[in-house]
Amino acid sequence: MKRDTMSASNKHRIEFTYLSQEHLLESGCLDFALAIEAAEKGMLAHLNGEVMFPDKIIQIFSQETQERINCLPATLLAEKVCGMKWVSVFPPNVERYGLQNLSAVFILSEIDKGFPIAVMEGTLASNLRVGAMGAIAAKHLAPEAPEVIGFIGSGEQAKMHLLAMKTVRPTLRQCRVSSKTPLEEQGFIEQMAPILPDMEFVAAETHGEAAMSEADILVTATSAQAPLLKAAWMKPGTFYSHIGGWEDEYAVAKQCEKIVCDDWETVKHRTQTLSRMYQDGELRDDEVYADLVELVSGAKPGRESDDERAYFNAVGLSFVDVAIAHAMYLQALDRGAGQTLTMQDTMIFEHDEIAEWVRL
């Protein structure tokens, strides 16, 4: 007697939504207001014990170039969503192959039955998170009405940071950019000028000082392991967002009145400038002013004077990534985007053809 596979199929079918980068972009997910709100909500949820945040798994394939693939899980208990970012960082990609150095995939699962609900392209969400965290820090630490932003670095992270900073500090009117080559600077300008037509763009002709001196907001976004930013280029009253590894000389942090991290306990064990300072005995725990959530929650004040220099460094918190990815998923779902894919139509031994498929 033939089994009714249709009824079994309906009962045991597992489906999820697949979202490509284009699905997300077309759904309006390159939205820093959305990302900032999700990140702040995620940080406060973690503060309130509503997040599961296990250690990430790191596989480094080259200590010299830091080529690696990381697995970063987290669970948002209130939303009943567990997520994981599988992210590869291959810095040599740009020079070796002319390709991006970061790619990522997110998997989101509901925690009632444990089934997946989404598989998403993750580079967009990951880059949004970096920009959003810098922007949240800028809300609390940057001058109220900055006009000039300077960049060392012209890649995806720099572009995202510019959009993020413009979101929280709309008075920005001029962007100066320094990169390894004038061609890279021009590429940055050609891509960003149509998006921000009210902004003046200035190519610094590879001179970091020309990009950073007199800027109100400074951003380093490179894969270099060298002190590119000099303390002398950072005028009083500025805000510095440090994105990469070792990008500034120790004197930059030493002259800042406030040093803030996304999570100092995480930062201090990495390879950022602040981490190096800590390991070299040049920075103590009590010299780090706050974790960002302390500013978001109001536990500590942000900028307190016009002349105050502020330094922000984030290395990434997986629950923030998952919170942003989940917000993007909900928006894309609301816009009817994505593809519904079937993971299984029925259970293995409910297939009528299973006897034919078994190989002994």
Side-chain angles (χ1 to χ4, degrees):
M1 179 176 178
K2 188 171 181 178
R3 186 178 302 148
D4 184 357
T5 54
M6 182 59 71
S7 61
S9 172
N10 290 337
K11 181 179 180 181
H12 293 135
R13 180 180 294 148
I14 299 175
E15 297 177 335
F16 61 87
T17 301
Y18 170 71
L19 292 163
S20 69
Q21 186 176 101
E22 287 68 30
H23 289 140
L24 295 168
L25 288 169
E26 291 165 6
S27 300
C29 289
L30 209 174
D31 180 345
F32 276 101
L34 176 79
I36 288 167
E37 181 182 0
E40 290 175 333
K41 184 178 177 183
M43 284 189 284
L44 292 173
H46 180 251
L47 183 67
N48 295 328
E50 298 170 352
V51 167
M52 295 178 70
F53 182 34
D55 292 337
K56 72 177 181 179
I57 299 170
I58 306 172
Q59 299 176 90
I60 299 175
F61 311 117
S62 169
Q63 290 295 335
E64 180 183 355
T65 62
Q66 287 295 296
E67 293 164 85
R68 60 196 184 274
I69 293 179
N70 298 342
C71 173
L72 298 90
T75 298
L76 311 175
L77 295 172
E79 288 80 5
K80 295 187 175 182
V81 169
C82 177
M84 180 203 73
K85 180 171 78 168
W86 182 263
V87 57
S88 69
V89 183
F90 279 59
N93 276 4
V94 178
E95 291 188 6
R96 285 181 188 168
Y97 310 114
L99 298 173
Q100 67 197 56
N101 63 10
L102 184 146
S103 62
V105 175
F106 277 91
I107 298 175
L108 302 180
S109 294
E110 47 80 15
I111 61 172
D112 284 328
K113 297 182 292 295
F115 293 161
I117 56 174
V119 174
M120 305 168 53
E121 188 280 337
T123 310
L124 179 61
S126 191
N127 286 340
L128 271 169
R129 186 262 306 159
V130 177
M133 294 298 274
I136 293 167
K139 284 199 325 185
H140 297 276
L141 298 167
E144 281 297 320
E147 296 188 350
V148 180
I149 185 168
F151 286 89
I152 295 178
S154 60
E156 293 291 296
Q157 298 288 12
K159 295 164 192 169
M160 288 289 184
H161 241 66
L162 176 57
L163 297 176
M165 293 299 178
K166 185 68 171 173
T167 299
V168 297
R169 288 293 185 264
T171 57
L172 287 168
R173 59 173 182 78
Q174 184 185 83
C175 173
R176 304 173 184 172
V177 58
S178 168
S179 195
K180 288 182 291 185
T181 68
L183 188 62
E184 289 176 337
E185 295 172 0
Q186 197 55 45
F188 176 95
I189 293 170
E190 288 175 0
Q191 287 190 341
M192 301 309 293
I195 300 172
L196 298 171
D198 63 333
M199 181 164 280
E200 175 192 2
F201 288 88
V202 178
E205 300 295 326
T206 76
H207 299 299
E209 183 175 5
M212 298 307 219
S213 291
E214 299 306 312
D216 303 304
I217 294 177
L218 295 77
V219 181
T220 53
T222 76
S223 59
Q225 292 293 316
L228 303 177
L229 176 63
K230 310 300 180 184
W233 304 346
M234 190 176 183
K235 69 178 183 179
T238 53
F239 168 71
Y240 168 43
S241 184
H242 171 115
I243 297 176
W246 179 30
E247 299 180 311
D248 54 309
E249 60 184 10
Y250 287 5
V252 172
K254 286 182 175 292
Q255 73 180 355
C256 289
E257 283 77 17
K258 285 190 171 74
I259 297 173
V260 176
C261 300
D262 58 350
D263 184 80
W264 169 235
E265 285 300 315
T266 302
V267 170
K268 69 200 274 187
H269 300 297
R270 299 292 184 84
T271 58
Q272 278 68 25
T273 304
L274 297 181
S275 319
R276 292 170 180 263
M277 292 177 69
Y278 177 77
Q279 291 154 15
D280 291 344
E282 298 285 341
L283 181 66
R284 303 188 311 270
D285 290 315
D286 61 6
E287 292 177 304
V288 176
Y289 175 67
D291 286 338
L292 185 56
V293 69
E294 295 178 272
L295 307 187
V296 173
S297 68
K300 290 185 179 179
R303 175 173 288 273
E304 296 179 274
S305 74
D306 291 340
D307 292 335
E308 199 171 60
R309 293 183 182 92
Y311 185 120
F312 176 66
N313 182 207
V315 292
L317 303 168
S318 62
F319 62 85
V320 175
D321 284 286
V322 171
I324 292 173
H326 185 234
M328 293 168 68
Y329 160 73
L330 292 176
Q331 175 150 310
L333 211 61
D334 185 61
R335 304 284 175 88
Q339 296 174 258
T340 300
L341 299 181
T342 302
M343 190 170 83
Q344 71 174 41
D345 195 54
T346 187
M347 294 179 69
I348 295 170
F349 290 95
E350 292 176 341
H351 289 92
D352 286 337
E353 302 88 347
I354 190 63
E356 302 170 21
W357 295 339
V358 172
R359 293 293 178 264
L360 296 175

